Amino acid sequence: MARQNKESIKNDTPVFYRFRNSVSSSADHSLFVRKANSSFTPLLVYVDDVLLAGNDSNEILRVKNFLDNKFKIKNLEPACYFLGLELSRSFKGIAVNQRKYCLELLQDGGLLAAKPATTPFDPSQKMQRIQGEPSQDATSYKRLIGRLLYLTTTRPDIAFSVQQLNQYVVNPMQSHHITTLRILRYLKCSTGKRLLFPANNNTHVSAFADADWACCLDTRRSITGFCIFIGSALVSWKLKKQSTVSRSSTEAEYRSLASLTYELQ
């Protein structure tokens, strides 16, 4: 991990596009990848923070020297904390979690001493746009949903709940706010949950898709959900309301499969 001088970045940003014959990722333009023979070196940039990885220590050292000559970077290796993500390495592999971020959410919400919930969402509960009284603190609700959205970076177990509640940030009801607090109570008993990327993993790709047909009571649209694994490592997942109304559960399932196929491609 490295941190760069901001003024240098402002003056010399185009240099990143010449990062030792690297290629900018089409999925994320702040990710640069360089392949040379058997070496693989990815470099991720966020404002003045850089995360550098690879399977060739000599190449990593050359990249650091190259960046230092251009930007005067500060080397903070090894990477253990990056943008709220806690990274830990062991013989089993690399684990990523947001435990500290979870605890900050609970502390800000005043729920550190609250009774934990076993699930993030009541499966029998159906959310609607107009449901009871308006929230007394809409700004707090919007801020909390935004922070929970970032938490789904490593917590797919709350992705469905957050997706449901994110629909009502424009005009939240008090019942929506109460449901959001249930997610926080669930996080209280699972702050250390993590994603593990095994050291000895195969490259077999497996993917799963599902659809919740007409589950939105306001629009009667279905929810698409999918997840993708490389070996046993979860690398991609998504939950999103479908753009059109499906007239049957079969149609909803096909739309979900189409979204999954697009992500795989």
Side-chain angles (χ1 to χ4, degrees), residues 18 54 102 128 131 138 147-148 156 208:
R18 303 194 301 270
C102 275
Q128 287 183 277
Q131 194 173 36
R147 299 180 73 181
L148 287 172
F208 306 88

Side-chain angles (χ1 to χ4, degrees), residues 140-169:
S140 175
Y141 178 86
K142 295 175 184 178
R143 181 171 180 269
L144 181 55
I145 290 297
R147 299 180 73 181
L148 287 172
L149 282 170
Y150 185 65
L151 185 59
T152 58
T153 303
T154 61
R155 296 295 299 266
D157 53 330
I158 66 170
F160 177 78
S161 307
V162 177
Q163 182 275 331
Q164 289 284 290
L165 295 165
N166 187 41
Q167 303 174 80
Y168 310 111
V169 291

Side-chain angles (χ1 to χ4, degrees), residues 47-67:
V47 190
D48 63 336
D49 289 319
V50 173
L51 191 63
L52 178 65
N55 60 356
D56 187 339
S57 57
N58 292 327
E59 178 62 21
I60 290 176
L61 182 60
R62 284 194 291 269
V63 173
K64 287 180 181 179
N65 292 334
F66 168 77
L67 293 176

Side-chain angles (χ1 to χ4, degrees), residues 153-261:
T153 303
T154 61
R155 296 295 299 266
D157 53 330
I158 66 170
F160 177 78
S161 307
V162 177
Q163 182 275 331
Q164 289 284 290
L165 295 165
N166 187 41
Q167 303 174 80
Y168 310 111
V169 291
V170 175
N171 186 29
M173 300 289 109
Q174 189 63 26
S175 59
H176 302 152
H177 207 149
I178 293 173
T179 306
T180 307
L181 297 180
R182 179 190 173 99
I183 299 178
L184 293 182
R185 293 194 295 110
Y186 167 75
L187 294 174
K188 186 176 184 297
C189 64
S190 59
T191 56
K193 279 195 174 183
R194 61 185 185 174
L195 292 177
L196 178 63
F197 300 93
N200 299 317
N201 197 22
N202 62 65
T203 56
H204 176 73
V205 177
S206 55
F208 306 88
D210 198 3
D212 193 350
W213 180 50
C215 67
C216 179
L217 299 181
D218 297 309
T219 63
R220 306 310 297 177
R221 294 182 185 178
S222 308
I223 300 294
T224 286
F226 65 75
C227 60
I228 300 174
F229 292 83
I230 296 180
S232 59
L234 179 62
V235 296
S236 178
W237 61 91
K238 189 174 186 178
L239 285 116
K240 185 178 180 180
K241 186 187 292 185
Q242 295 180 1
S243 58
T244 59
V245 176
S246 297
R247 290 179 290 179
S248 67
S249 59
T250 302
E251 184 179 346
E253 295 285 357
Y254 273 117
R255 292 186 185 277
S256 183
L257 285 171
S259 297
L260 173 60
T261 303

Side-chain angles (χ1 to χ4, degrees), residues 75-96:
N75 195 357
L76 304 176
E77 63 176 306
C80 58
Y81 195 80
F82 185 72
L83 303 178
L85 306 178
E86 298 179 49
L87 315 173
S88 58
R89 181 190 294 270
S90 69
F91 68 93
K92 292 183 179 180
I94 298 176
V96 183

